[in-house]
Amino acid sequence: MKLNLTLLLLLICPVLWSQPKLQISESDKKPNILIIMADDCTYSDLPLYGGTNVQTPQIDKLASQGMTFNRAFVTMSMCVPCRAELYTGLQPATSGVCWNHSIARSGTTSIVQYLGDMGYRVGIAGKVHAAPREVYPFEMVDGVERNCVSKTAGYDAAGLRDFITKNRKQPFCLVTALVVPHIPWTVGDPSHFDPEKLNLPEYVADTKEMRNEFTKYLAEIEVLDRQIGTTLDLLKEEGIEDNTIVIFTSEQGSQIPGCKWTNWNNGVHTGLIVRWPGKVKSGTRTDALVQYNDVLPTLLDALDNKTSAGFDGSSFLPVLLGEKNTHREFAYFMHNNVPEGPPYPIRSITDGKYHYIKNLAHENLYIEKHLMARMTENQYWPSWIFEASGDQKILDLVTRYQKRPSEELYDMTSDPNEMNNLLNREGFTAIQNRLSKKMDEWMTKQGDPGAAIDSFEELNNARKGNHFEN
């Protein structure tokens, strides 16, 4: 009996030894995640959203491979609050990041912990702009310029490659936070654009200086597009393209009057593309209303993590999978002007078509110090002021920016640049009242005291960890 068993093993073992080792294919692993962020890129300047002044072949290619969101928004159109929202799934009053250059409440949980607990390596290359470290313990990845006001936009794909290839057995999440086209507009080649032939947006004053500065901004969008293409090429070169969820976002609007630091559409509206091969249908667009605080819950849902965490956002995975074509009923917005200027608090709401804005201290003069005071970094605002004395259209634009009514209402579908205030016009009162009521309910739910928090005292308290109670 023992002899027969020995013979049997001798016959079987060579067969076993000759079999290839069992390997986990890329398709069987948890998907990697790559989040690519622009820095201060107005969504409507991209060809994907109707822009006509610059070409972005890499962004367009990514869109052809995934889903483009027509109605995606940040809650606050400034760098620190919107990134906190993306990384935590929380709106500003919940995380405590209600001002630029502020910090999250101690104990807040971010994408680093959520994905880290699922076995992911979570790294960030480029601009961080998120604090404190205990909330955002990213692995620091080399290869991308971190200083958003640097006069260069250094990019070396080798650092990114090192991170994504460091451990093939472990999935990764990499945030690639590029610093273009944030001011100063000093990289790229503005000579690619003829200032006289630009199609300036209607909310921009048509001055010689504005046209010249706009070419510099467009040159940085070209650099952005190239860096995106190089980053995406890494996935293909390393054979992981088909098992990586890619998210591209343009962040908030540019530092041009009417965009960043406002609640107007060109400030809070963000370009958003999601590519997930085999899951998200290529070349699709959706009108589903989403916000930054929905992104983290969506990623966790895609990874089958049914966390009960108290996000302000919710998963739009059914939209990505083509099972639904709607998500939110409303998107909400906040602006606190401190420390970028004197207090000028704003709150607003949209249902995807109509946008209601309430300027809580409309009697104040709106001032944004970076855009209006640093004359060495831009020459366009002084040209607006100089030309306003002899050009009524430019004077109207300056007045629109600095002296706003108590309330505003816009049809974002027919008037995406929000130049025609519909407030109190016949036929719009019911819409105005409905949105105003819903916005007040949101503020109450968030524990948002409104104008009271737009102060240097509240910001300084938050920086010390003494956030207001919501």
Side-chain angles (χ1 to χ4, degrees):
M1 186 70 179
K2 289 183 180 179
L3 180 61
N4 290 339
L5 179 60
T6 301
L7 289 173
L8 181 61
L9 289 173
L10 288 173
L11 289 171
I12 292 176
C13 285
V15 175
L16 292 175
W17 292 333
S18 67
Q19 297 302 306
K21 293 182 180 179
L22 182 62
Q23 296 185 356
I24 301 175
S25 68
E26 287 295 331
S27 60
D28 293 329
K29 290 170 55 179
K30 292 178 183 176
N32 303 303
I33 300 166
L34 173 65
I35 300 174
I36 305 176
M37 301 182 71
D39 196 354
D40 290 7
C41 181
T42 304
Y43 88 103
S44 56
D45 290 324
L46 300 175
L48 187 63
Y49 293 97
T52 59
N53 291 307
V54 63
Q55 299 301 309
T56 55
Q58 300 302 326
I59 294 174
D60 295 348
K61 180 181 178 181
L62 178 63
S64 74
Q65 299 167 340
M67 178 177 286
T68 300
F69 285 77
N70 297 325
R71 294 173 174 169
F73 297 91
V74 300
T75 298
M76 293 186 73
S77 61
M78 56 186 77
C79 297
V80 175
C82 80
R83 288 164 194 254
E85 180 182 5
L86 183 71
Y87 300 150
T88 65
L90 304 176
Q91 288 175 318
T94 309
S95 70
V97 188
C98 295
W99 313 264
N100 215 10
H101 311 296
S102 59
I103 66 173
R105 287 187 169 91
S106 179
T108 301
T109 305
S110 75
I111 189 172
V112 187
Q113 291 94 349
Y114 284 116
L115 293 183
D117 289 346
M118 296 181 67
Y120 277 75
R121 293 182 294 117
V122 186
I124 188 167
K127 178 175 175 176
V128 179
H129 251 48
R133 177 73 176 164
E134 67 181 71
V135 174
Y136 309 102
F138 286 103
E139 179 180 338
M140 295 295 130
V141 179
D142 294 330
V144 179
E145 174 65 58
R146 295 197 187 279
N147 182 2
C148 64
V149 294
S150 171
K151 293 186 177 181
T152 63
Y155 179 95
D156 183 357
L160 308 184
R161 191 189 300 274
D162 287 345
F163 175 79
I164 68 177
T165 60
K166 183 163 55 176
N167 186 346
R168 294 281 191 176
K169 295 181 180 179
Q170 189 178 13
F172 68 81
C173 172
L174 174 62
V175 177
T176 304
L178 307 174
V179 296
V180 278
H182 194 288
I183 57 106
W185 298 320
T186 53
V187 301
D189 189 349
S191 70
H192 291 176
F193 308 94
D194 184 344
E196 298 303 317
K197 294 182 179 179
L198 295 179
N199 296 316
L200 289 181
E202 61 183 328
Y203 58 86
V204 172
D206 192 349
T207 68
K208 178 181 177 181
E209 291 80 4
M210 186 72 250
R211 287 182 171 272
N212 287 334
E213 291 295 312
F214 211 86
T215 65
K216 299 175 185 178
Y217 163 60
L218 296 174
E220 294 225 347
I221 293 179
E222 285 191 323
V223 174
L224 166 72
D225 192 64
R226 289 197 297 271
Q227 292 184 352
I228 289 171
T230 303
T231 304
L232 293 174
D233 285 346
L234 288 174
L235 304 179
K236 189 171 185 178
E237 292 165 7
E238 296 301 330
I240 56 175
E241 182 180 43
D242 290 341
N243 194 41
T244 301
I245 299 171
V246 175
I247 298 175
F248 163 73
T249 172
S250 63
E251 207 199 35
Q252 73 267 327
S254 64
Q255 187 174 290
I256 290 175
C259 301
K260 186 178 181 180
W261 298 305
T262 77
N263 277 34
W264 286 321
N265 186 39
N266 282 304
V268 294
H269 199 142
T270 188
L272 183 67
I273 304 169
V274 179
R275 184 183 78 183
W276 189 7
K279 299 287 187 178
V280 175
K281 187 176 180 181
S282 297
T284 53
R285 298 187 80 114
T286 178
D287 286 331
L289 188 61
V290 302
Q291 286 197 267
Y292 259 22
N293 57 82
D294 296 321
V295 172
L296 179 55
T298 301
L299 286 174
L300 295 179
D301 194 12
L303 301 176
D304 202 30
N305 182 333
K306 307 302 181 184
T307 177
S308 58
F311 295 119
D312 288 319
S314 59
S315 171
F316 55 79
L317 182 62
V319 174
L320 290 176
L321 300 180
E323 299 168 357
K324 292 179 62 178
N325 55 19
T326 60
H327 182 56
R328 283 178 167 269
E329 185 178 5
F330 302 103
Y332 305 94
F333 313 109
M334 168 191 279
H335 176 78
N336 293 315
N337 209 44
V338 170
E340 312 299 8
Y344 202 95
I346 310 169
R347 304 293 184 268
S348 64
I349 180 176
T350 184
D351 60 6
K353 178 175 175 58
Y354 293 103
H355 185 195
Y356 170 77
I357 302 173
K358 192 166 186 177
N359 298 302
L360 303 181
H362 68 97
E363 65 279 3
N364 294 351
L365 187 68
Y366 177 80
I367 297 173
E368 203 297 311
K369 63 185 182 183
H370 300 287
L371 186 152
M372 302 168 77
R374 291 185 175 179
M375 304 310 183
T376 58
E377 290 186 6
N378 78 71
Q379 296 300 313
Y380 52 85
W381 180 253
S383 75
W384 288 37
I385 301 301
F386 187 85
E387 298 293 342
S389 61
D391 189 315
Q392 184 62 47
K393 185 177 180 180
I394 294 178
L395 177 59
D396 289 344
L397 290 173
V398 171
T399 303
R400 170 182 181 258
Y401 191 59
Q402 288 201 270
K403 193 64 178 175
R404 306 176 195 177
S406 59
E407 297 174 280
E408 303 169 68
L409 179 68
Y410 300 101
D411 183 337
M412 300 171 78
T413 303
S414 62
D415 180 24
N417 292 323
E418 300 187 328
M419 304 299 292
N420 302 301
N421 190 357
L422 302 174
L423 196 84
N424 295 325
R425 293 192 189 178
E426 185 177 354
F428 293 98
T429 303
I431 296 169
Q432 169 187 333
N433 292 339
R434 171 174 172 264
L435 292 178
S436 177
K437 179 182 178 182
K438 289 294 183 181
M439 189 186 75
D440 289 344
E441 291 174 357
W442 169 67
M443 291 178 64
T444 299
K445 182 179 179 180
Q446 288 280 298
D448 176 5
I453 66 171
D454 193 7
S455 72
F456 285 94
E457 180 181 5
E458 288 292 347
L459 170 60
N460 290 333
N461 284 337
R463 285 173 171 171
K464 297 174 183 177
N466 301 319
H467 294 80
F468 69 94
E469 293 186 10
N470 60 347

